[in-house]
Amino acid sequence: MKKLLLILISTCLFADSKIDFSDKDTILLFVVLGGLIVLLLAYIYKLKMKLKTKKVKMFSVSDEAEFESESFEKSSLYFDLQEVFLYFFKTLNYEASVKNNIFLVRQDMLYLNDNNEKCMPNRYFYGDYTNIINAIWAAADLINQNVENETIFIDIGIMNNMQNRTLLCVDIGVCGVVDDKKTELFKSFTNPKKLSISEQLHKFSGYMKKIDGSSYAFKDTNERINHAICLSIPILINDKENNLPDVTPKDRLSVLIVHNNIDISKTITANLESYEINCIQNQSSNGLLEKIEDGVNCAYRAVLLDANLINTFNEYDLNRLVKAQDEYCFKLILILNNHKITPNIEKIIQEVDFLPLPYTIDNIRSIVNIIKTQQEKLLS
């Protein structure tokens, strides 16, 4: 095609005389060339339509005018934040795996009401969640695209401010010791030098502007992270009851968490302890089988194990670990840091449970129920 175009152009530009359309070869050349051009245009159009069809956004942003607060209150539309997070976290997980990062999300599992009773946090809210999710995603992606091999911490909470407005507060930053690289990255958010960061910031601020009354700031101190992008988003609570029973066990039960990432172990521990679950943390799987098989009964009703450590077990020890579940009344729960399933996991996939990172409140409730079930097996 390229050669034919060059022949035609050169013929037209440098021919000493006009093109002789009475010549059969010339006519044939133009017919073939015209046909190829038509086919090329058809192919480009088809490809464009195909790409347009395949370009699916998990959370599309509505271009419609924003609702006023009063219209939100009158609206019957509401959403379950934890259900939205379930699918959103899967997207975060995939995006993080590309850069070999880990997204770790902390949410308060329970809170005390005015009567000092434990309650589940609100999960039903009014309005369109897409703008909220897009804003959180853009802030998280701003960090994810500029770091590698890091744990990105997302702290999510709901609070009331001075004006008695309910705010969804989201702090996002990198865990670990602060070094020059992290400090430089944080400074670039307020004074971007790279075009890519400038474009990402523009996209992020654009999403925030779509949410009436929202704000964000870059802070250099946080409880778990030293540098954070802090989002504050007004949100209207739906009075619909959660209808979720308290899953806290009657007796204080114990679990073992085996993960070399301290931040991950701490977060899971905090969430399980809110349900009165006692957590013992180990950074290595060395001696794991001996710990489980020590004594008449295993002290743990669940062993939460980093899925990557499964690769370090030989086939004999892997079978030994799986069989020990029934004998010692515990459940093996693999902590998934990414979307990859290794061959060793495939061998035991029907015998274990999973806790994906990042996880929702519902994921933790499910783990608590598993722990209670193992205790019931032990007592029976």
Side-chain angles (χ1 to χ4, degrees):
M1 181 67 185
K2 185 177 179 181
K3 290 181 178 178
L4 287 172
L5 284 170
L6 290 172
I7 291 170
L8 178 62
I9 293 169
S10 61
T11 303
C12 295
L13 292 175
F14 302 107
D16 294 332
S17 58
K18 293 182 179 180
I19 298 172
D20 185 8
F21 285 99
S22 63
D23 182 66
K24 292 181 179 180
D25 292 337
T26 304
I27 294 173
L28 180 61
L29 176 64
F30 271 87
V31 170
V32 172
L33 183 61
L36 288 173
I37 291 173
V38 171
L39 288 173
L40 179 62
L41 291 173
Y43 174 75
I44 292 172
Y45 176 76
K46 185 178 179 181
L47 182 63
K48 185 177 179 181
M49 294 302 293
K50 188 177 181 180
L51 289 173
K52 186 176 181 181
T53 304
K54 284 192 172 185
K55 189 178 180 183
V56 178
K57 286 185 178 179
M58 190 165 184
F59 302 99
S60 58
V61 180
S62 174
D63 291 326
E64 296 178 5
E66 297 175 10
F67 292 97
E68 296 294 332
S69 296
E70 290 183 1
S71 62
F72 263 128
E73 292 173 1
K74 294 177 181 178
S75 171
S76 60
L77 296 175
Y78 63 89
F79 62 91
D80 182 342
L81 188 63
Q82 297 306 316
E83 187 177 334
V84 170
F85 280 162
L86 177 64
Y87 297 101
F88 174 52
F89 289 170
K90 289 180 181 180
T91 302
L92 283 181
N93 184 293
Y94 175 78
E95 293 293 333
S97 66
V98 175
K99 305 285 286 187
N100 203 30
N101 295 322
I102 297 173
F103 273 112
L104 179 59
V105 176
R106 182 181 71 174
Q107 297 184 75
D108 290 331
M109 296 289 146
L110 300 167
Y111 74 96
L112 297 176
N113 63 14
D114 296 335
N115 298 322
N116 207 32
E117 299 170 331
K118 287 195 303 183
C119 300
M120 286 294 296
N122 294 105
R123 57 189 294 152
Y124 294 99
F125 301 91
Y126 285 109
D128 181 6
Y129 63 80
T130 54
N131 290 337
I132 296 171
I133 293 301
N134 274 315
I136 299 172
W137 172 83
D141 192 58
L142 180 61
I143 296 175
N144 182 57
Q145 293 299 327
N146 291 285
V147 298
E148 291 183 356
N149 306 309
E150 297 284 0
T151 300
I152 302 171
F153 189 71
I154 303 180
D155 192 5
I156 298 175
I158 295 172
M159 60 172 289
N160 293 323
N161 66 2
M162 298 284 289
Q163 290 76 33
N164 201 27
R165 299 175 71 189
T166 303
L167 299 175
L168 178 67
C169 300
V170 184
D171 294 350
I172 307 171
V174 182
C175 290
V177 180
V178 178
D179 53 25
D180 292 339
K181 188 176 180 181
K182 291 177 185 176
T183 303
E184 188 62 30
L185 174 64
F186 182 75
K187 288 180 179 178
S188 69
F189 294 156
T190 53
N191 185 24
K193 296 177 182 178
K194 291 183 180 179
L195 180 61
S196 59
I197 291 180
S198 179
E199 290 174 346
Q200 287 176 296
L201 280 166
H202 179 72
K203 182 187 291 186
F204 164 59
S205 62
Y207 287 143
M208 290 295 288
K209 287 177 182 177
K210 288 179 177 289
I211 308 170
D212 186 35
S214 67
S215 63
Y216 66 91
F218 301 106
K219 297 181 181 179
D220 58 2
T221 55
N222 186 277
E223 183 185 349
R224 289 281 296 276
I225 40 184
N226 296 95
H227 299 318
I229 305 175
C230 303
L231 286 66
S232 179
I233 300 172
I235 195 165
L236 293 172
I237 298 175
N238 190 315
D239 293 330
K240 180 185 176 77
E241 293 183 4
N242 289 331
N243 294 322
L244 291 175
D246 183 11
V247 296
T248 305
K250 293 179 180 178
D251 302 318
R252 190 168 177 84
L253 307 177
S254 295
V255 301
L256 178 64
I257 301 174
V258 184
H259 207 294
N260 62 1
N261 189 314
I262 298 174
D263 291 298
I264 291 175
S265 294
K266 281 183 177 178
T267 301
I268 296 174
T269 295
N271 290 153
L272 287 175
E273 284 184 343
S274 66
Y275 290 100
E276 305 298 327
I277 304 289
N278 182 45
C279 298
I280 293 88
Q281 301 176 36
N282 270 21
Q283 288 186 261
S284 170
S285 60
N286 295 336
L288 175 61
L289 286 165
E290 288 73 19
K291 278 192 177 79
I292 291 171
E293 297 172 348
D294 182 26
V296 178
N297 292 313
C298 174
Y300 314 112
R301 300 284 69 83
V303 176
L304 287 83
L305 178 66
D306 178 10
N308 292 328
L309 294 176
I310 286 293
N311 298 328
T312 65
F313 284 80
N314 58 43
E315 192 160 350
Y316 171 76
D317 285 341
L318 188 62
N319 290 331
R320 185 177 156 197
L321 180 63
V322 171
K323 288 179 181 178
Q325 293 182 109
D326 292 331
E327 185 175 354
Y328 297 99
C329 291
F330 73 91
K331 192 66 179 179
L332 187 61
I333 300 168
L334 300 186
I335 304 168
L336 284 175
N337 301 344
N338 53 51
H339 63 293
K340 298 173 184 175
I341 301 296
T342 62
N344 266 9
I345 293 178
E346 289 179 351
K347 293 177 186 176
I348 59 172
I349 198 167
Q350 301 297 329
E351 310 292 335
V352 300
D353 283 278
F354 296 91
L355 178 64
L357 294 181
Y359 55 79
T360 67
I361 289 174
D362 294 340
N363 292 134
I364 287 293
R365 286 173 58 84
S366 176
I367 298 299
V368 173
N369 278 323
I370 289 172
I371 295 167
K372 289 170 65 178
T373 300
Q374 296 306 311
Q375 177 69 4
E376 291 168 4
K377 283 183 180 180
L378 178 67
L379 296 175
S380 63

